[in-house]
């Protein structure tokens, strides 16, 4: 039972444009020292999947810097390993010969790479769903059910705002898909939403891609799943663990803060036996806390220098917080410098930002104040 992995790195860039202006959604920093793609990569590696392709779109320099050779995920291998697939625009990718907008268009653009996959199964995943899932269990379910395609879902309560950002699957008692709602605008209630994780045989994926090229299909959900669910055996795999779907800047802040206030959420992601989350190793010194520092209920990465007060905040690597500075309910990304006497509440600073002495920045939990990468205030 062998499987390859395909990761879509840019599909949801427009969901959080504040953080994806200079990077792909795959390389958005999260949880103190990780990037979004770390969770999907770790899920695959922990499930013994070592042949992984990452389909890129644009702004992927940060992603390449983060992944490097893949050694931090044990993917620097002579055979298999991790491959970055840059945009390859073909005459049949779409009618305007432009960069792809959907997963199916992305798959069409890397058709040649798909034709070279030798593993029997392929697991496709987005990278902005934060969860710790066992793909071996999902693959075993796929084989036992005899499904042509298995889709991971999570049962959640939706309002109209969140429903229109999700694909909803309906299934019978055996888990067979019998209806699908793609980004509905008038739905609210309890439903199984897609985690954008799909398993199928590689041969079936090749068939789907070639058929999409021939018929100019562009949507995997609408043009493949919805049209064929009555004749093909499509199943749902119901994931019961913790997950966070980052669908907006507000959601990014809310899910980050949940990690601070919900110990069960942290355990469900980072403390699962035999399923650690890997990331790029920076080999920094331990965080330094001076005698004037006061840190409460916060996540602080290595390499930080803390002289002020930090409460309910996530502090990334290499951050410096000056004497008498106060940081509350904030996310401070890598190598940010916060001057003496500064006050920050509900603030997100991108990498390499500088907040000068005495500055006061305040946002709200429903709309945090954002400081872009490299900005000085």
């Amino acid at each position: 039972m062998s499987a390859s992995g395909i990761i879509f790195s840019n599909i949801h860039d427009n969901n959080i444009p504040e953080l994806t202006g200079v990077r792909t959604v795959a390389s958005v920093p999260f949880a103190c020292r990780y990037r979004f793609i770390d969770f999907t990569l770790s899920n695959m590696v922990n499930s013994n999947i070592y042949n992984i392709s990452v389909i890129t779109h644009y702004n992927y320099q940060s992603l390449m810097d983060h992944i490097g050779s893949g050694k931090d995920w044990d993917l620097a291998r002579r055979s298999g390993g991790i491959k970055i697939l840059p945009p390859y625009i073909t005459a049949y990718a779409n009618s305007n010969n432009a960069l792809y907008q959907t997963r199916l268009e992305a798959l069409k653009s890397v058709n040649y790479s798909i034709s070279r996959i030798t593993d029997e199964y392929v697991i496709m995943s987005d990278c902005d769903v934060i969860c710790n899932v066992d793909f071996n269990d999902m693959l075993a379910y796929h084989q036992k059910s005899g499904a042509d395609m298995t889709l991971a879902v999570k049962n959640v309560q939706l309002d109209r705002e969140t429903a229109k950002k999700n694909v909803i699957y309906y299934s019978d008692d055996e888990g067979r898909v019998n209806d699908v709602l793609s980004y509905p605008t008038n739905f609210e209630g309890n439903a199984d939403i897609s985690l954008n994780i799909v398993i199928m045989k590689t041969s079936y994926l090749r068939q789907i891609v070639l058929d999409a090229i021939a018929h100019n299909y562009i949507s995997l959900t609408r043009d493949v799943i919805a049209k064929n669910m009555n004749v093909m055996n499509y199943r749902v795999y119901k994931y019961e663990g913790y997950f966070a779907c980052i669908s907006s800047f507000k959601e990014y802040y809310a899910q980050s803060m949940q990690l601070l206030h919900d110990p069960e959420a942290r355990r469900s992601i980072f403390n699962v036996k035999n399923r650690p989350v890997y990331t790029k190793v920076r080999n920094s010194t331990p965080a330094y806390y001076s005698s004037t520092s006061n840190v409460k209920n916060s996540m602080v990465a290595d390499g930080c220098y803390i002289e002020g007060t930090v409460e309910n905040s996530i502090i990334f690597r290499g951050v410096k917080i000056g004497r008498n500075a106060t940081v509350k309910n904030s996310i401070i990304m890598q190598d940010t410098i916060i001057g003496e006497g500064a006050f920050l509440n509900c603030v997100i600073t991108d990498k390499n930002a500088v907040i000068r002495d005495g500055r006061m920045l305040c946002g709200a939990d429903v709309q945090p104040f954002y400081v872009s990468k490299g900005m000085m205030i």
Side-chain angles (χ1 to χ4, degrees), residues 42 58 68-69 77 83 87-88 91 95 116 122 143 162 175 229 240 256 268 276 355 363 366:
S42 298
Y58 60 94
S69 66
R77 295 166 172 255
K83 296 182 287 293
Y88 179 68
S95 58
R116 300 182 65 188
V122 62
Q143 291 178 310
T162 54
M229 62 186 178
E240 303 295 340
S256 297
S268 297
I355 312 300
V366 294

Side-chain angles (χ1 to χ4, degrees), residues 7-266:
I7 299 174
F8 302 97
S9 68
N10 287 90
I11 292 298
H12 293 143
D13 280 4
N14 292 333
N15 285 351
I16 42 177
E18 297 88 347
L19 299 176
T20 56
V22 294
R23 58 170 72 89
T24 70
V25 73
S27 55
V28 169
F30 186 75
C32 202
R33 58 195 295 265
Y34 301 93
R35 305 291 184 110
F36 280 171
I37 197 171
D38 291 338
F39 300 91
T40 303
L41 279 179
S42 298
N43 288 337
M44 289 186 175
V45 170
N46 292 332
S47 303
N48 301 314
I49 299 169
Y50 295 105
N51 187 7
I52 301 172
S53 299
V54 181
I55 306 178
T56 60
H57 194 309
Y58 60 94
N59 275 349
Y60 51 88
Q61 181 63 53
S62 175
L63 179 64
M64 294 175 66
D65 290 343
H66 180 68
I67 293 176
S69 66
K71 66 177 182 179
D72 295 306
W73 298 267
D74 192 23
L75 291 170
R77 295 166 172 255
R78 289 181 179 272
S79 177
I82 189 165
K83 296 182 287 293
I84 304 291
L85 303 181
Y88 179 68
I89 304 173
T90 62
Y92 49 75
N94 50 51
S95 58
N96 297 321
N97 202 27
L99 290 171
Y100 63 79
Q101 299 296 321
T102 68
R103 296 176 190 85
L104 193 53
E105 286 183 333
L107 292 170
K108 289 194 289 183
S109 72
V110 296
N111 181 43
Y112 177 70
S113 297
I114 293 173
S115 69
R116 300 182 65 188
I117 295 176
T118 58
D119 294 300
E120 183 179 4
Y121 295 93
V122 62
I123 298 176
M124 301 189 298
S125 176
D126 287 356
C127 53
D128 56 348
V129 174
I130 312 302
C131 63
N132 195 323
V133 58
D134 185 357
F135 286 141
N136 285 327
D137 185 63
M138 186 175 173
L139 185 55
Y141 171 83
H142 174 79
Q143 291 178 310
K144 183 178 179 180
S145 66
D148 297 299
M149 183 188 300
T150 298
L151 309 113
V153 299
K154 172 77 173 179
N155 190 264
V156 297
Q157 185 70 28
L158 298 172
D159 55 31
R160 291 196 175 192
E161 186 65 27
T162 54
K164 67 182 182 182
K165 297 178 181 179
N166 287 281
V167 174
I168 297 172
Y169 287 106
Y170 292 95
S171 58
D172 59 23
D173 293 339
E174 295 181 349
R176 183 162 181 165
V177 176
N178 52 33
D179 197 8
V180 55
L181 300 180
S182 185
Y183 310 110
T185 58
N186 60 348
F187 180 90
E188 53 185 336
N190 199 260
D192 289 335
I193 65 169
S194 172
L195 300 188
N196 298 319
I197 300 172
V198 182
I199 290 181
M200 68 184 81
K201 282 194 173 183
T202 306
S203 58
Y204 185 51
L205 175 62
R206 293 195 189 105
Q207 178 184 330
I208 287 174
V209 173
L210 292 175
D211 193 47
I213 293 170
H215 293 89
N216 196 30
Y217 293 155
I218 61 172
S219 172
L220 185 65
T221 303
R222 295 187 178 97
D223 294 329
V224 177
I225 298 174
K227 289 182 177 180
N228 295 290
M229 62 186 178
N230 293 324
V231 294
M232 304 299 291
N233 185 6
Y234 296 157
R235 301 279 182 135
V236 295
Y237 172 83
K238 296 191 176 183
Y239 173 69
E240 303 295 340
Y242 171 86
F243 95 108
C245 183
I246 312 299
S247 58
S248 66
F249 188 64
K250 175 184 174 182
E251 190 71 16
Y252 173 82
Y253 178 80
Q255 295 296 345
S256 297
M257 291 297 104
Q258 184 181 2
L259 292 179
L260 296 175
H261 301 292
D262 187 353
E264 184 58 33
R266 294 197 300 273

